[in-house]
Amino acid sequence: MDLNHPQNNFNLQSQDFGKDFVFGVSTAAYQIEGAHNIHDKGASIWDHFTSKKGNIFNNHHGQIACDFYNKFEADILLMKSMNIKHFRFSLSWSRIIPNGTGDVSTTGIDYYNRVIDFCLECGITPWVTLYHWDLPQVLQNKGGWTNRAIVSWFENYVNVCATHFGDRVKNWMVLNEPMVFTGAGYFLGVHAPGNRGLKNFLPAIHHAVLCQASGGSILRALVDNAFIGTTFSCSQITPYRNTPRDVLAAKKADALLNRLFIEPSLGLGYPTEYVPVLNRIERYIQPEDVKNMIFDYDFIGVQNYTREMVTHSYFVPYLQAKIVKASKRHVKTTLMDWEVYPPSIYHMIKQFNAYKGVKKIIITENGAAFPDMVSSGQIHDTERLNYLQSHLRQVYKAKNDGLNVEGYFVWTFTDNFEWAEGYHPRFGLVYTDFKTQERIVKSSGKWYQGFLKN
Ligand code: BGC
């Protein structure tokens, strides 16, 4: 491929998607901001989790990350120069309310006001996620997502954000990928807060479902002309073998990974038919919850990176299904060992579009980590470029097939802190030198810039 003309076999332009289709980039507070203890900021569960040896690849942490807290103006200007007009970022709860509840930090509010105002000055529309995994540690000390009181803690936090920022921020997402923060954080223990087991997982699921709905209702009440969504991780699930047992295993995995959080919000309840252990959530459900789990979102944020192949396994408790790793399947993978499989994004748009209550879909994350090499000050990230283009083709196909997809955000703008994997996997359109904080626009970023022109 000719690297000077990277889009030579990709002839779509942004305007081919229609004038209302939004293109942007996505980020999250803990992954980029740094400034972990500046002013009165409280610690989050990620500050705490990363401080324990052995939790994160090479004991990396987000204390500085991309130093976006201090560099946001330069980064937003760079975004602008790349023709990026929509920027998704999250608010750090413990920067805004250091003790989780109670006093609001004026410096925290001031910081986000400056970020929002600078975006608007640059002609960039802010898309704000309220919760991208960094719960205040003080609330975790009281049980975090397993404590039903989180519903009122969260409602108070949403109130504060809506009141301070709702005059200028119109596009909101309540939660980022509840399946990942409850599954990895409260069942497998590989993400903060590092808790395990059903006794943590099941209440965390239910409380996240309640918060995702009540957060939406508060935004609806307090923000004029709000466009309200929430985001879900999802992957096309394929049976590993075409046997009845693997087909059933795939249905179970689909219920757990793709249906668990959207269906209660649509009034369909938990998908217990394929995952009977979810019946045990009942003990956390209070009578009024059934209606309080429902919210009429303006859009659903679909976040897709790969597909999963699933096989039957007697040894996996509760599910009897397990994922067959991509590395064992001899397929093209990213650095995360995720299969590169573009039709998955089409499949997931179609699957979400099929729900009667889903009005609009925005791809709020899609992207890939590959080993980037800096050579003579440049990064020719051909694999990422191909990944993004091939996924965009699928999104275009979905739109042309009449599926209601109206936006696409690349994960992510600059290389950043990739949770348990630390700084090792780089997902950015822009390279971050974590020693000097220098930014270098990769070939993929240059391509996106050209694609977004006009
Ligand atoms: C998360 C991001 C993460 C990305 C790549 C998503 O699950 O929302 O925070 O960095 O995937 O792993």
Side-chain angles (χ1 to χ4, degrees):
M1 177 182 230
D2 178 355
L3 292 170
N4 294 320
H5 301 282
Q7 69 269 54
N8 55 4
N9 61 356
F10 179 82
N11 42 25
L12 290 171
Q13 287 297 321
S14 55
Q15 55 268 32
D16 296 328
F17 289 72
K19 70 173 177 20
D20 295 328
F21 199 95
V22 297
F23 284 99
V25 287
S26 275
T27 64
Y30 189 75
Q31 295 182 270
I32 61 170
E33 284 179 359
H36 69 115
N37 60 0
I38 204 162
H39 306 302
D40 52 352
K41 180 181 174 290
S44 78
I45 53 175
W46 276 93
D47 290 311
H48 191 75
F49 189 69
T50 53
S51 70
K52 298 256 149 51
K53 285 221 156 31
N55 280 341
I56 308 290
F57 173 84
N58 278 352
N59 298 316
H60 289 166
H61 53 70
Q63 292 182 4
I64 300 173
C66 307
D67 200 21
F68 183 80
Y69 184 90
N70 293 304
K71 299 203 166 331
F72 73 85
E73 291 184 337
D75 277 351
I76 292 170
L77 282 173
L78 179 59
M79 231 174 254
K80 182 182 176 188
S81 76
M82 291 168 69
N83 304 320
I84 295 164
K85 299 232 159 48
H86 298 270
F87 175 30
R88 173 177 176 236
F89 57 93
S90 76
L91 306 177
S92 152
W93 185 340
S94 64
R95 200 183 286 294
I96 292 176
I97 310 176
N99 291 314
T101 58
D103 289 345
V104 174
S105 161
T106 48
T107 50
I109 296 288
D110 173 62
Y111 163 66
Y112 288 115
N113 273 334
R114 287 185 286 127
V115 172
I116 293 164
D117 290 344
F118 196 66
C119 283
L120 295 172
E121 243 177 270
C122 292
I124 293 175
T125 305
W127 290 65
V128 167
T129 313
L130 285 162
Y131 184 78
H132 202 130
W133 308 354
D134 45 355
L135 187 72
Q137 179 62 33
V138 283
L139 300 182
Q140 183 53 40
N141 297 343
K142 298 177 187 162
W145 285 96
T146 67
N147 185 341
R148 192 176 169 100
I150 188 131
V151 180
S152 57
W153 302 332
F154 187 70
E155 288 176 351
N156 172 61
Y157 165 63
V158 179
N159 242 287
V160 169
C161 298
T163 320
H164 284 89
F165 311 125
D167 56 336
R168 289 150 295 149
V169 175
K170 298 300 168 190
N171 305 297
W172 293 86
M173 285 140 287
V174 182
L175 299 182
N176 183 72
E177 301 189 348
M179 182 56 214
V180 177
F181 77 75
T182 57
Y186 288 85
F187 186 67
L188 300 173
V190 294
H191 276 190
N195 292 350
R196 285 171 209 268
L198 277 187
K199 70 175 192 308
N200 291 308
F201 186 41
L202 298 180
I205 292 172
H206 186 57
H207 301 145
V209 164
L210 289 172
C211 287
Q212 104 191 330
S214 71
S217 306
I218 293 170
L219 291 168
R220 183 74 79 225
L222 298 183
V223 181
D224 290 339
N225 304 317
F227 185 52
I228 304 168
T230 197
T231 77
F232 300 113
S233 48
C234 61
S235 301
Q236 178 178 352
I237 309 285
T238 313
Y240 184 55
R241 293 187 194 84
N242 195 12
T243 61
R245 284 196 324 183
D246 278 12
V247 170
L248 179 61
K251 288 196 166 128
K252 291 175 173 187
D254 181 54
L256 185 69
L257 300 177
N258 297 328
R259 299 171 48 200
L260 177 57
F261 285 89
I262 182 151
E263 295 196 358
S265 81
L266 297 172
L268 303 171
Y270 291 112
T272 50
E273 74 280 27
Y274 287 114
V275 193
V277 73
L278 293 173
N279 281 312
R280 295 196 211 163
I281 293 185
E282 238 162 63
R283 75 183 69 162
Y284 305 102
I285 304 183
Q286 298 183 2
E288 70 280 11
D289 290 1
V290 177
K291 68 170 192 329
N292 290 341
M293 288 153 73
I294 302 173
F295 182 73
D296 187 17
Y297 295 101
D298 300 318
F299 73 95
I300 291 302
V302 164
Q303 314 203 147
N304 173 265
Y305 290 86
T306 187
R307 76 154 161 186
E308 301 292 359
M309 284 206 156
V310 170
T311 187
H312 171 84
S313 165
Y314 282 118
F315 303 107
V316 178
Y318 314 119
L319 210 58
Q320 281 78 49
K322 75 163 192 224
I323 286 173
V324 183
K325 286 193 176 154
S327 51
K328 294 214 171 121
R329 294 192 272 116
H330 313 290
V331 288
K332 167 92 185 134
T333 58
T334 71
L335 248 194
M336 303 291 281
D337 191 21
W338 295 343
E339 180 182 4
V340 177
Y341 188 73
S344 176
I345 200 166
Y346 179 91
H347 181 95
M348 292 321 302
I349 295 170
K350 195 166 179 180
Q351 183 165 332
F352 279 91
N353 191 77
Y355 288 113
K356 215 168 126 251
V358 170
K359 294 183 188 153
K360 224 175 226 186
I361 291 166
I362 307 253
I363 304 298
T364 38
E365 286 184 24
N366 171 244
F370 289 108
D372 290 327
M373 300 272 290
V374 187
S375 103
S376 321
Q378 308 227 32
I379 296 109
H380 295 304
D381 57 336
T382 317
E383 289 177 300
R384 181 174 299 99
L385 183 61
N386 289 336
Y387 178 99
L388 295 173
Q389 293 181 340
S390 54
H391 283 74
L392 264 177
R393 265 196 209 103
Q394 295 288 330
V395 176
Y396 182 72
K397 174 168 177 298
K399 194 167 158 54
N400 278 338
D401 289 354
L403 306 177
N404 203 1
V405 55
E406 281 299 336
Y408 176 91
F409 287 68
V410 175
W411 183 269
T412 181
F413 184 52
T414 57
D415 297 333
N416 60 36
F417 176 77
E418 177 51 33
W419 308 113
E421 310 301 326
Y423 294 98
H424 175 55
R426 293 173 174 272
F427 278 84
L429 293 171
V430 175
Y431 182 89
T432 307
D433 180 328
F434 291 104
K435 289 203 181 80
T436 61
Q437 291 298 345
E438 192 198 346
R439 315 289 198 236
I440 305 171
V441 181
K442 304 178 193 177
S443 293
S444 59
K446 292 181 187 162
W447 160 74
Y448 204 44
Q449 176 181 40
F451 172 78
L452 296 179
K453 215 166 151 192
N454 309 319

